[in-house]
């Protein structure tokens, strides 16, 4: 055996005694520098002991110290250097998720391979983003079920199951209904018998036995929801509302059983335990129904989304599933139908109702070349659409997906409330025990002590407290969506009351982002000739000229020949005339004569920041057309309204100073920063933040990404764009600037709604717990009424949030 | 696609070429940016003398 053979058996490797190997798929690498950059980023994360990144299979192998390594931080580090980690997202629908259990599920899911966990107690779902190389659906389900939750469905967030929340909530409703069909009649019967026994029609002993028989199914069938929840909480070493209801009702029930079996003396009160369960279930039922209403905008959107499309294949219209539609297909839409895909009009024309996206009730005219979006409705006409996106890539699908995430936004105050809520239950249990002791020690009959203890346990409502913030967020974000505003980051809501500066990008944000004919000078047929010459061009200037000419002349004839010369313009023949449209170079090329009056007006227009084209007919400049990107009609109103709110409007643009100043002057903006490169915009934003305070940047979500990220709140104009790729804490779905004002007003409403909810939930508990304990002389609350009060408190919070859902902004 | 003659080098070119210019209201087509530059520097020379072959740029 040679030395080489010996050597080959020796393996050298780094060993980490406490390390665990993690594999990530990295997205976006295309060279060795990329892999080095990603490796460096990963190594900078706390708890990473070693990292190697392979370009060949786009994989990073990381050895981590499980005690300190945080997946979210690793993701942030990789994204921070411009790459991404491949991850998948699943939404699990649970058979119940109370606000106080949110921390439990988050703790349970703090597992290897999990990037983020977003629980939503409003619709009983938990959305998990995970590393599929490490854990899968089965693994996640096992973790959730081991923590004592029941999974009733899983959604991958595709277009098939937009309505998971509804399913989750409806399953819950079905369960509550089944429990109530037993609880209501039996409880009613107990009360009837009680009344009969009070007036002496039936003897007390018979009533005691009958009420025991009737309340037992209520306690152990209808009340099983609460008992199960309490057991689950107990296994996770926490306590929640179910714990309180279970303790309250069982103490009343068990005490009554002991009385019935003559172990202790006193009166039975089986009626209380049955009534508590019935009232709380009724409350829960109403609350769940209301919750469905709170988040309905998103579901209305989802319902609108067609599942099939009429595609033209080999000249024949065939109805196919939306998942089989490919970009480039031609889809036919008839009057009254919902448009199933995003794309451009390829034939026909019509009026499209886009209210679902924009809130604008009037249908918009769509002709050849116009963009139409899935989910909008063809009110009149007939359209053939060339598909650009369909299925889960369509704009509406992205909106729905993001809106669902928005519903689970957490405001900072919520963490505080959740912490309080988790201690609160223990506080109430202690208060219950103290109440019992106090009554017992002052010599009251034991039944009085139990009754007051049960009242205290049942009246306290951690649920309202835990629900206060998320329910307002769901209602608020849904209302925003109804107005075409997609709120994606909670900080946008949180910071909006303190906004000091709103900085606008110019082109496409303050202006329409497309050319329009501003003025025509020279021969009266200048525009007509220009339109004939430009008929064959796709250039934005040509489109603007044609649009205006069609408004003025109706139909415009086509030229007989057409030729475009880069850097000069176009030259065409029509009716024996040679017509050219272009810049000064074209005038030189034609050696055309130009009348000084036209020349002076043209120069003035250029000075005002407009683009000027000359129209030449047979070697003579017949006139000139000034084109500009005109401000959006609503812009002046929005700017003056911002000023009224003591917010400073500013303009940041890459355009030249003259062009920027012209627009700024028209709109009444005093602060103009022009000639900026995208990264310079971000620098300006940082300066503004330091100087003035909370700064908002409004721009195009793709081109202004850097500046939007630098701002405290980035608002992206998102009309029909790829919002999944766009940054921005807020996206305006229809690029209407007035929505900025709506967003600010709505955010303020959401915050005050949350404040009211939290304050109400606290005050309710502070006031009613002492009353239930009997600490207020002359005031007592029987346990069943305590249960009713508790149910009402959650309903109050939900109803208050629902106000937000329908409020006008 | 119609054809035209490059006035500088005499080659036959497609009118869809990106190298074009307008002189005295007429469009001229070229095979390359070099021919276009040569023509624009002295259009009358090529229009009176006819094509001279590929220009040499130094």
């Amino acid at each position: 055996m040679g030395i080489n053979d010996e050597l080959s058996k020796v393996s050298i490797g780094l060993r980490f005694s406490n390390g665990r190997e993690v594999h990530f798929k990295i997205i976006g690498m295309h060279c060795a520098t990329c892999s080095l950059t990603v490796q460096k980023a990963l190594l900078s994360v706390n708890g990473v002991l070693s990292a190697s990144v392979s370009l060949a299979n786009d994989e990073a192998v990381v050895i981590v110290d499980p005690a300190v390594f945080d997946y979210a931080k690793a993701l942030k580090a990789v994204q921070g250097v411009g790459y991404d980690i491949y991850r998948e997202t699943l939404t699990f629908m649970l058979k119940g998720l109370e606000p106080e259990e949110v921390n439990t599920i988050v703790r349970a899911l703090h597992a290897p391979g999990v990037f983020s966990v977003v629980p939503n107690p409003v619709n009983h779902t938990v959305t998990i983003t995970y590393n599929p190389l490490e854990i899968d659906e089965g693994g996640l389900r096992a973790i959730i079920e081991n923590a004592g939750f029941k999974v009733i469905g899983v959604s991958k967030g595709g277009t098939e199951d937009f309505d998971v929340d509804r399913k989750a909530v409806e399953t819950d409703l079905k369960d509550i209904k089944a429990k109530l069909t037993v609880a209501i009649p039996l409880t009613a019967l107990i009360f009837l018998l009680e009344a009969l026994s009070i007036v002496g029609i039936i003897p007390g002993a018979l009533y005691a036995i009958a009420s025991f028989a009737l309340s037992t199914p209520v306690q152990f069938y209808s009340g099983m929801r609460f008992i199960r929840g309490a057991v689950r909480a107990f296994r996770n070493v926490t306590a929640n509302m179910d714990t309180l209801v279970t303790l309250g009702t069982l103490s009343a029930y068990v005490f009554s059983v002991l009385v019935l079996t003559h172990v202790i003396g006193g009166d039975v009160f089986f009626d209380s335990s049955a009534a508590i369960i019935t009232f709380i279930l009724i409350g829960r039922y109403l609350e769940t129904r209301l919750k469905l209403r709170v988040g309905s905008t998103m579901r209305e959107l989802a319902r609108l989304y067609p599942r099939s499309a009429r595609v033209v294949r080999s000249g024949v219209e065939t109805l196919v599933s939306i998942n089989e539609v490919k970009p480039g297909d031609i889809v036919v839409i008839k009057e009254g139908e919902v448009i199933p895909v995003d794309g451009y009009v390829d034939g026909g024309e019509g009026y499209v109702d886009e209210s679902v996206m924009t809130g604008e009730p009037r249908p918009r005219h769509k002709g050849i070349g116009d963009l139409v979006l899935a989910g909008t409705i063809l009110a009149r006409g007939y359209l053939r659409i060339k598909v650009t996106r369909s299925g889960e890539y369509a704009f509406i699908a992205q909106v729905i997906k993001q809106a669902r995430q928005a519903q689970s936004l957490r405001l900072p105050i919520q963490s505080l409330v959740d912490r309080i809520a988790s201690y609160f239950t223990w506080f109430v249990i202690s208060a219950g025990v103290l109440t019992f002791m106090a009554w017992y020690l002052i010599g009251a009959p034991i039944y009085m002590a139990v009754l007051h203890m049960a009242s205290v346990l049942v009246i306290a409502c951690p649920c309202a407290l835990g629900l206060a913030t998320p329910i307002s967020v769901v209602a608020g974000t849904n209302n925003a969506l109804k107005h075409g505003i997609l709120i994606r980051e909670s900080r946008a809501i949180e910071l909006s009351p303190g906004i000091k500066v709103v900085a606008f990008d110019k082109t496409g944000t303050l202006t329409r982002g497309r050319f329009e004919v501003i003025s025509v000078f020279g021969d009266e047929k200048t525009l007509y000739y220009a339109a004939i010459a430009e008929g064959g061009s796709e250039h934005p200037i040509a489109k603007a000229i044609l649009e205006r000419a069609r408004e003025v002349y109706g139909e415009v004839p086509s030229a007989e020949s057409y030729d475009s010369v880069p850097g000069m313009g176009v030259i065409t023949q029509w009716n024996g005339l040679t017509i050219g449209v272009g810049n000064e170079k074209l005038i030189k090329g034609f050696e055309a004569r130009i009348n000084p009056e036209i020349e002076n007006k043209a120069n003035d227009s250029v000075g005002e920041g407009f683009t000027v084209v000359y129209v030449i007919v047979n070697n003579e400049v017949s006139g000139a057309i000034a084109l500009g990107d005109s401000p959006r009609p609503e812009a002046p109103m929005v700017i003056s309204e911002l000023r009224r709110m003591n917010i400073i409007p500013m303009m940041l643009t890459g355009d030249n100073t003259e062009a920027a100043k012209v627009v700024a002057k028209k709109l009444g903006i005093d602060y103009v920063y022009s000639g900026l490169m995208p990264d310079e915009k971000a620098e300006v934003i940082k300066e503004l933040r330091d100087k003035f305070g909370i700064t908002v940047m409004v721009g195009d979500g793709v081109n202004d990404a850097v500046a939007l990220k630098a701002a405290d709140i980035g608002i992206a104009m998102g009309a029909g764009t790829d919002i999944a790729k766009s940054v921005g804490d807020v996206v305006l779905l229809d690029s209407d600037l007035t929505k900025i004002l709506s967003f600010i007003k709505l955010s303020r409403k959401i915050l005050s709604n949350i404040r009211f909810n939290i304050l109400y939930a606290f005050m309710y508990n502070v006031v009613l717990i002492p009353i239930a304990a009997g600490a207020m002389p002359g005031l007592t609350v029987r346990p069943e009424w305590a249960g009713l009060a508790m149910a009402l408190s959650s309903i109050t919070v939900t109803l208050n949030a629902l106000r937000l859902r329908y409020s006008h902004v | 696609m119609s054809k035209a003659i490059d006035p500088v080098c005499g080659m036959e070119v497609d009118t869809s070429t990106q190298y074009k210019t307008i002189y005295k209201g007429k469009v001229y087509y070229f095979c390359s940016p070099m021919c276009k530059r040569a023509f624009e520097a002295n259009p009358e020379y090529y229009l009176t003398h006819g094509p001279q072959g590929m220009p040499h740029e130094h």
Side-chain angles (χ1 to χ4, degrees):
Chain A
M1 193 179 272
I3 186 84
N4 285 344
D5 293 332
E6 284 296 321
L7 275 176
S8 70
K9 290 181 186 167
V10 178
S11 66
I12 298 171
L14 289 171
R15 294 276 169 102
F16 295 100
S17 55
N18 57 347
R20 196 164 51 78
E21 192 173 291
V22 176
H23 291 243
F24 292 126
K25 264 278 181 257
I26 307 291
I27 301 168
M29 296 195 298
H30 49 79
C31 66
T33 319
C34 297
S35 51
L36 278 173
T37 312
V38 172
Q39 183 185 17
K40 258 198 218 143
L42 284 167
L43 283 169
S44 71
V45 178
N46 197 10
V48 171
L49 305 172
S50 87
S52 66
V53 180
S54 151
L55 187 63
N57 59 358
D58 289 331
E59 209 164 279
V61 180
V62 190
I63 310 288
V64 303
D65 176 353
V68 281
F69 179 71
D70 180 344
Y71 280 79
K73 285 194 175 119
L75 176 63
K76 218 173 175 154
V78 173
Q79 286 176 329
V81 291
Y83 303 89
D84 211 339
I85 296 177
Y86 177 75
R87 50 202 192 281
E88 288 181 1
T89 300
L90 285 173
T91 298
F92 286 86
M93 294 169 262
L94 308 178
K95 201 179 163 181
L97 177 66
E98 296 311 321
E100 334 57 291
E101 293 174 322
V102 161
N103 284 338
T104 306
I105 201 154
V106 170
R107 261 204 309 275
L109 282 163
H110 187 78
V114 176
F115 290 107
S116 72
V117 178
V118 183
N120 187 336
V122 178
N123 49 21
H124 303 177
T125 58
V126 58
T127 302
I128 305 163
T129 304
Y130 62 98
N131 177 12
L133 301 182
E134 226 173 327
I135 192 161
D136 59 3
E137 184 184 323
L140 293 167
R141 181 191 283 260
I143 293 174
I144 295 170
E145 295 197 327
N146 282 340
F149 295 91
K150 191 166 167 40
V151 175
I152 55 171
V154 184
S155 141
K156 291 192 170 53
T159 50
E160 295 308 307
D161 43 20
F162 275 148
D163 220 359
V164 280
D165 328 293
R166 190 183 187 87
K167 281 186 200 146
V169 173
E170 278 178 348
T171 313
D172 200 28
L173 277 176
K174 219 158 65 188
D175 182 62
I176 298 173
K177 262 193 210 160
K179 302 281 194 280
L180 277 174
T181 46
V182 172
I184 292 174
L186 295 188
T187 307
L189 206 53
I190 294 173
F191 276 88
L192 179 70
L193 292 176
E194 189 178 15
L196 293 178
S197 95
I198 289 169
V199 296
I201 293 177
I202 57 168
L206 178 64
Y207 162 70
I209 291 167
S211 65
F212 161 73
L214 294 169
S215 72
T216 302
V218 179
Q219 178 72 58
F220 295 104
Y221 169 71
S222 302
M224 194 39 103
R225 279 175 70 95
F226 307 114
I227 295 172
R228 278 213 190 98
V231 169
R232 183 169 67 208
F234 181 75
R235 273 185 26 205
N236 290 310
V237 207
T238 61
N240 59 12
M241 195 194 103
D242 292 333
T243 315
L244 297 177
V245 175
T246 304
L247 287 175
T249 54
L250 277 179
S251 55
Y253 180 86
V254 171
F255 172 85
S256 304
V257 170
L258 294 177
V259 170
L260 194 68
T261 52
H262 305 295
V263 176
I264 44 178
D267 286 338
V268 294
F269 51 105
F270 289 111
D271 55 336
S272 291
S273 69
I276 292 169
I277 288 170
T278 307
F279 283 146
I280 292 178
L281 279 174
I282 292 174
R284 214 21 102 71
Y285 181 78
L286 293 174
E287 186 191 324
T288 310
R289 291 282 313 242
L290 287 173
K291 275 183 190 171
L292 266 183
R293 291 245 306 268
V294 167
S296 58
T297 305
M298 201 188 77
R299 277 195 305 279
E300 279 158 22
L301 275 180
R303 234 198 339 269
L304 267 173
Y305 196 69
R307 300 274 181 265
S308 59
R310 214 179 293 106
V311 179
V312 180
R313 298 246 163 103
S314 335
V316 184
E317 287 179 23
T318 359
L319 200 64
V320 300
S321 154
I322 200 73
N323 298 329
E324 293 171 34
V325 181
K326 308 261 178 311
D329 278 348
I330 300 286
V331 170
V332 174
I333 320 290
K334 292 180 180 158
E335 199 160 293
E337 288 182 346
V338 178
I339 296 169
V341 292
D342 290 2
Y344 289 90
V345 177
D346 190 61
E349 64 171 337
Y351 286 85
V352 173
D353 171 357
E354 294 183 331
S355 56
V356 59
M357 297 281 179
T358 62
E360 166 64 46
R362 275 172 316 185
R364 283 188 190 164
H365 177 264
K366 299 281 177 183
I368 289 180
D370 287 335
L371 174 73
V372 289
L373 296 173
T376 56
I377 302 160
L378 180 60
R380 266 210 328 274
Y382 166 90
L383 294 176
R384 288 167 65 93
I385 294 167
K386 193 167 187 146
V387 179
T388 54
R389 290 180 303 204
S390 65
E392 61 184 302
Y393 302 103
F395 184 67
I396 190 174
Q398 296 179 24
V399 171
I400 294 167
K401 201 167 174 174
Q402 301 225 348
R404 168 165 305 121
Q405 290 163 358
Q407 290 197 334
S408 305
L409 291 178
R410 283 175 68 84
L411 290 170
I413 181 133
Q414 202 172 325
S415 306
L416 176 71
V417 172
D418 283 349
R419 256 209 310 280
I420 293 171
S422 65
Y423 294 121
F424 181 76
T425 318
W426 296 113
F427 163 77
V428 176
I429 293 171
S430 317
V433 173
L434 277 176
T435 305
F436 178 86
M437 303 289 287
W439 281 95
Y440 187 69
L441 291 175
I442 60 168
I446 193 161
Y447 116 91
M448 282 286 280
V450 172
L451 195 117
H452 282 101
M453 176 179 80
S455 286
V456 168
L457 289 175
V458 172
I459 207 161
C461 191
C463 200
L465 202 55
L467 202 61
T469 315
I471 194 103
S472 299
V473 169
V474 171
T477 50
N478 265 279
N479 189 359
L481 194 61
K482 197 170 75 182
H483 289 89
I485 305 164
L486 180 61
I487 301 175
R488 301 204 298 188
E489 289 292 339
S490 55
R491 69 164 183 223
I493 301 172
E494 186 199 336
L495 296 175
S496 75
I499 294 172
K500 295 282 180 284
V501 173
V502 174
F504 293 90
D505 166 51
K506 180 177 81 79
T507 310
T509 301
L510 283 171
T511 64
R512 292 171 186 269
R514 56 192 172 97
F515 281 109
E516 276 181 82
V517 173
I518 306 292
S519 57
V520 182
F521 24 88
D523 186 293
E524 59 178 21
K525 289 191 96 173
T526 295
L527 180 67
Y528 188 68
Y529 288 138
I532 293 168
E534 293 282 22
S537 171
E538 282 296 308
H539 194 281
I541 287 181
K543 281 189 172 165
I545 290 173
L546 273 170
E547 200 172 298
R548 174 56 61 87
R550 285 197 181 118
E551 282 168 19
V552 178
Y553 302 106
E555 272 312 296
V556 175
S558 301
E560 289 139 22
S561 75
Y562 171 88
D563 206 341
S564 85
V565 180
M568 292 175 110
V570 300
I571 178 166
T572 58
Q573 303 291 330
W574 177 74
N575 222 3
L577 301 173
T578 302
I579 307 171
V581 179
N583 53 21
E584 289 101 334
K585 280 187 187 158
L586 188 77
I587 301 178
K588 282 200 191 85
F590 267 90
E591 293 184 350
R593 287 179 300 279
I594 179 161
N595 146 350
E597 195 189 339
I598 294 176
E599 196 166 17
N600 292 337
K601 281 187 176 165
N603 289 338
D604 291 348
S605 292
V606 171
E608 285 173 34
F610 296 122
T611 302
V612 172
V613 293
Y614 298 92
V615 181
I616 301 158
V617 180
N618 289 350
N619 299 349
E620 174 105 34
V621 175
S622 90
I625 300 173
L627 298 109
D629 180 7
S630 63
R632 289 181 189 273
E634 74 275 15
M637 185 280 277
V638 172
I639 300 293
S640 69
E641 189 62 18
L642 286 173
R643 284 171 179 284
R644 213 184 49 78
M645 294 162 112
N646 288 326
I647 296 170
I648 310 167
M650 296 191 184
M651 184 197 285
L652 269 58
T653 176
D655 266 14
N656 63 51
T657 312
E658 286 77 21
K661 285 215 165 122
V662 169
V663 177
K665 198 169 153 207
K666 271 186 192 157
L667 298 175
I669 297 178
D670 302 330
Y671 293 84
V672 179
Y673 296 84
S674 53
L676 300 172
M677 299 299 288
D679 51 336
E680 290 173 330
K681 282 187 190 173
E683 288 303 315
V684 172
I685 291 282
K686 283 185 190 127
E687 284 166 26
L688 296 176
R689 284 176 64 181
D690 294 341
K691 194 170 165 191
F692 295 99
I694 295 175
T695 300
V696 176
M697 171 77 199
V698 186
D700 163 337
V702 180
N703 300 333
D704 295 317
V706 191
L708 288 174
K709 272 189 184 152
D712 292 299
I713 303 173
I715 300 183
M717 307 286 269
T721 55
D722 200 345
I723 52 171
K725 286 188 188 141
S726 96
V727 300
D729 308 309
V730 177
V731 180
L732 306 181
L733 298 181
D734 61 341
S735 301
D736 172 355
L737 292 174
T738 57
K739 300 292 164 69
I740 295 171
L741 304 173
S742 308
F743 159 72
I744 295 173
K745 285 177 194 153
L746 189 63
S747 297
R748 291 176 183 184
K749 278 190 175 167
I750 293 173
L751 288 172
S752 68
N753 195 279
I754 289 172
R755 270 195 293 271
F756 171 88
N757 269 354
I758 290 177
L759 194 72
Y760 165 82
F762 265 113
M763 291 311 294
Y764 163 90
N765 285 302
V766 167
V767 171
L768 286 187
I769 291 176
I771 293 178
M776 305 282 178
L779 273 177
T780 51
V781 183
R782 276 192 65 87
E784 54 267 40
W785 304 123
L788 183 65
M790 180 221 231
L792 283 176
S793 77
S794 282
I795 290 175
T796 310
V797 165
T798 311
L799 279 174
N800 180 47
L802 209 56
R803 261 186 340 125
L804 198 57
R805 171 77 181 75
Y806 297 106
S807 72
H808 288 284
V809 280
Chain B
M1 216 27 89
S2 59
K3 303 282 186 194
I5 298 292
D6 181 329
V8 176
C9 67
M11 267 176 66
E12 189 178 69
V13 286
D14 236 338
T15 53
S16 63
T17 174
Q18 55 175 323
Y19 309 115
K20 313 174 186 179
T21 194
I22 299 178
Y23 180 64
K24 288 189 174 175
K26 187 170 180 305
V27 186
Y28 293 92
Y29 303 90
F30 308 94
C31 69
S32 66
M34 284 186 307
C35 287
K36 180 171 176 265
R37 271 197 295 272
F39 180 84
E40 283 172 340
N42 198 347
E44 283 302 329
Y45 174 80
Y46 291 103
L47 294 180
T48 49
H49 293 85
Q52 303 293 305
M54 280 298 279
H56 297 284
E57 291 200 342
H58 299 285

